[in-house]
């Protein structure tokens, strides 16, 4: 069979599809799935030039051919997203809140002076890609297909300016758990993840590059992740590693830093808050100081702390290091919000229960 064919997904965006002749699926699925180590057979790609998105394609996962002078290599004009697909009990594939990620992608694009992408072009490309690589969506406990859309600046030019050419690509990776154990975090009081007016709310590649050095220092001190604080005073909590963070108190409150200029508007964050509210918790989104959290721990008012993110979903935090002291946090049990929210979220994502919020899209 000719591996090349055109599929008219939407009148204006026919996608040219070239199938691989050598699937890697058997090899990948014969081992344990780790996070982000192996990639499905195909990728979606569309280039931007002359002020327009060009013809979209799905091609076998492969190397990119780029000149070393491309702007992305020098000035980091690059953004990305993270989302997931799941299998339901009939073997159908469900995408979780893809429109929220597409919307956030375009917010990131605007901040980085990149072209926004038509949500329909993005969603159709994504759907066709996952349909083609449907067998790559794992169905085991804690497993999913992690989806990584990204955009890079491809102008061959060394002057500092927004590129006029870009590539938008979606790759996917069958994954297991991101964190295997509860996470030990260190309150960061020297380095900063994001400052007001910066790119903290965007999923800009540079945000992650600059976090590596402080994260390495924290790891040398025995911590798994950093609990970022504000750039001005290092007094208020922002995010933990690559996750939003939530504090649950004995009086059924969920405290979480409000999102805005410096904090990413997490899709898992808002899903968890919606479910927690439905479970009877009061949601408090405001500035949360480190001292306030230490006070809650020492007065034994804090029940649990966890991070939320697409990759990690819900990652329990086991201790917080601050000013040379580690504060151990109570572990979770079957009554914990994190456990119950995860159960509910997982049931919705896998189509095992009703989806009252319309979060999933079936392929
Ligand atoms: C995600 O949760 O999708 C993230 O962006 C984290 C990633 C950097 C591993």
């Amino acid at each position: 069979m000719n591996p090349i064919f055109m599929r008219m997904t939407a009148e204006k965006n026919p996608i040219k599809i070239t199938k691989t002749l050598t699937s890697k699926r058997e090899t990948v699925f014969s081992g344990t799935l780790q996070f982000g180590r192996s990639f499905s057979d195909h990728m979606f790609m569309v280039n931007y030039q002359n002020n327009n998105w060009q013809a979209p394609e799905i091609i076998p996962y492969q190397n990119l051919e780029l000149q070393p002078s491309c702007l992305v290599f020098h000035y980091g004009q690059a953004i990305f997203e993270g989302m997931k697909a799941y299998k339901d009990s009939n073997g159908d594939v469900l995408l979780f809140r893809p429109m929220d990620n597409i919307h956030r992608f375009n917010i990131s694009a605007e901040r980085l002076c990149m072209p926004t992408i038509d949500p329909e072009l993005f969603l159709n490309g994504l759907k066709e890609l996952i349909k083609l690589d449907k067998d790559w969506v794992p169905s085991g406990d804690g497993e999913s297909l992690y989806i990584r859309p990204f955009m890079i600046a491809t102008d061959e030019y060394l002057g500092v300016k927004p590129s006029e050419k870009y590539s938008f690509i979606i790759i996917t990776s069958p994954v297991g758990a991101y964190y295997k154990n509860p996470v030990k975090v260190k309150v960061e009081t020297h380095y900063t993840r994001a400052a007001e007016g910066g790119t903290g709310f965007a999923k800009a590649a540079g945000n992650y590059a600059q976090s590596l050095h402080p994260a390495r220092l924290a790891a040398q001190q025995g911590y798994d992740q950093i609990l970022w604080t504000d750039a001005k005073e290092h007094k208020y909590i922002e995010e933990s590693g690559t996750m939003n963070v939530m504090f649950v108190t004995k009086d059924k409150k969920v405290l979480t830093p409000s999102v805005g200029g410096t904090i990413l508007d997490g899709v898992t964050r808002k899903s968890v808050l919606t479910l927690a509210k439905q479970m009877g918790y009061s949601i408090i989104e405001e500035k949360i100081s480190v001292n306030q959290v230490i006070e809650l721990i020492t007065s034994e008012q804090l029940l649990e702390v966890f991070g939320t993110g697409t990759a990690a979903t819900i990652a329990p935090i086991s201790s917080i290091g601050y000013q040379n002291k580690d504060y151990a946090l109570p572990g979770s049990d079957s009554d914990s919000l994190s456990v119950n929210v995860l159960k509910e979220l997982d049931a919705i994502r896998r189509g095992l229960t009703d989806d009252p919020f319309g979060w999933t899209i079936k392929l």
Side-chain angles (χ1 to χ4, degrees):
M1 188 182 71
N2 184 341
I4 302 181
F5 61 95
M6 299 279 272
R7 180 169 284 163
M8 302 298 286
T9 52
E11 271 168 41
K12 57 180 183 177
N13 295 320
I15 300 176
K16 180 179 169 200
I17 299 178
T18 310
K19 287 187 181 179
T20 185
L21 297 173
T22 51
S23 174
K24 306 177 299 284
R25 191 190 172 283
E26 286 296 301
T27 321
V28 169
F29 277 74
S30 63
T32 312
L33 294 177
Q34 292 178 4
F35 182 86
R37 289 272 178 210
S38 38
F39 302 95
S40 331
D41 283 331
H42 299 92
M43 61 197 223
F44 174 81
M45 184 158 177
V46 56
N47 293 324
Y48 180 91
Q49 62 183 47
N50 304 326
N51 299 316
N52 272 311
W53 289 102
Q54 308 296 304
E57 280 194 83
I58 290 176
I59 51 178
Y61 179 89
Q62 60 190 264
N63 293 343
L64 299 176
E65 195 174 311
L66 291 173
Q67 293 206 5
S69 54
C70 279
L71 276 171
V72 64
F73 298 131
H74 306 276
Y75 310 123
Q77 205 188 0
I79 56 168
F80 71 96
E81 263 306 322
M83 52 179 115
K84 280 178 170 170
Y86 300 83
K87 273 229 170 106
D88 70 12
S89 50
N90 301 319
D92 290 326
V93 176
L94 300 174
L95 295 172
F96 185 72
R97 303 192 77 167
M99 294 316 290
D100 294 66
N101 292 90
I102 293 173
H103 177 68
R104 194 173 62 183
F105 189 82
N106 279 337
I107 290 176
S108 301
E110 277 175 3
R111 179 61 181 84
L112 274 274
C113 264
M114 300 169 109
T116 55
I117 183 160
D118 177 358
E120 194 181 310
L121 170 63
F122 191 141
L123 187 65
N124 283 335
L126 175 61
K127 282 178 164 174
E128 289 303 317
L129 178 68
I130 312 284
K131 267 185 210 161
L132 191 60
D133 281 340
K134 183 169 184 274
D135 291 345
W136 284 82
V137 183
S139 52
D141 232 16
E143 294 178 346
S144 58
L145 187 74
Y146 185 76
I147 300 162
R148 172 52 61 85
F150 64 103
M151 177 163 35
I152 52 172
T154 56
D155 256 6
E156 292 123 17
Y157 180 58
L158 294 185
V160 180
K161 72 162 193 61
S163 183
E164 284 167 20
K165 290 194 294 177
Y166 296 88
S167 287
F168 170 80
I169 300 170
I170 308 176
I171 56 173
T172 68
S173 170
V175 298
Y178 191 76
Y179 290 114
K180 296 203 166 47
N181 296 306
V183 182
K184 274 184 78 176
V185 301
K186 173 198 159 186
V187 175
E188 181 58 64
T189 52
H190 175 69
Y191 294 100
T192 296
R193 176 186 171 273
E196 284 294 340
T199 57
F201 65 89
K203 256 178 129 51
N207 291 349
Y208 297 78
Q210 64 80 35
S211 75
L212 298 176
H213 178 65
R216 175 184 279 172
L217 295 180
Q220 285 164 358
Q221 294 161 19
Y223 297 99
D224 303 304
Q225 268 305 347
I226 283 177
L227 191 53
W228 297 106
T229 53
D230 68 287
K232 232 190 210 162
E233 300 177 275
H234 290 297
K235 208 166 140 188
Y236 297 98
I237 289 168
E238 301 246 303
E239 298 185 21
S240 180
T242 61
M243 303 179 292
N244 295 113
V245 63
M246 303 199 178
F247 303 87
V248 186
T249 62
K250 277 192 176 156
D251 56 352
K252 281 199 114 178
K253 287 187 184 129
V254 180
L255 279 64
T256 190
S258 35
V259 293
T262 57
I263 299 179
L264 196 78
D265 187 5
V267 177
T268 310
R269 175 188 181 278
K270 54 188 179 193
S271 308
V272 167
L273 293 181
T274 302
L275 293 176
K277 193 169 176 194
Q278 205 184 37
M279 290 173 184
Y281 287 79
S282 317
I283 310 301
I284 300 177
E285 298 179 71
E286 61 183 19
K287 274 186 153 188
I288 296 166
S289 72
V290 180
N291 284 339
Q292 188 183 344
V293 169
I294 301 299
E295 168 63 26
L296 285 170
I297 298 174
T298 50
S299 62
E300 298 185 355
Q301 289 308 301
L302 201 58
L303 274 186
E304 56 172 340
V305 183
F306 55 87
T308 65
T310 300
T313 305
I314 292 183
I317 293 178
S318 58
S319 76
I320 298 179
Y322 182 54
Q323 292 178 338
N324 300 318
K325 188 167 173 190
D326 285 330
Y327 295 85
L329 299 166
S332 50
D333 57 30
S334 58
D335 290 333
S336 300
L337 175 66
S338 60
V339 171
N340 289 303
V341 152
L342 181 58
K343 219 187 274 168
E344 183 63 17
L345 194 56
D346 214 46
I348 294 176
R349 294 185 307 192
R350 292 174 194 281
L352 303 172
T353 185
D354 290 346
D355 175 12
F357 309 105
W359 285 341
T360 55
I361 294 186
K362 195 182 273 198
L363 286 191

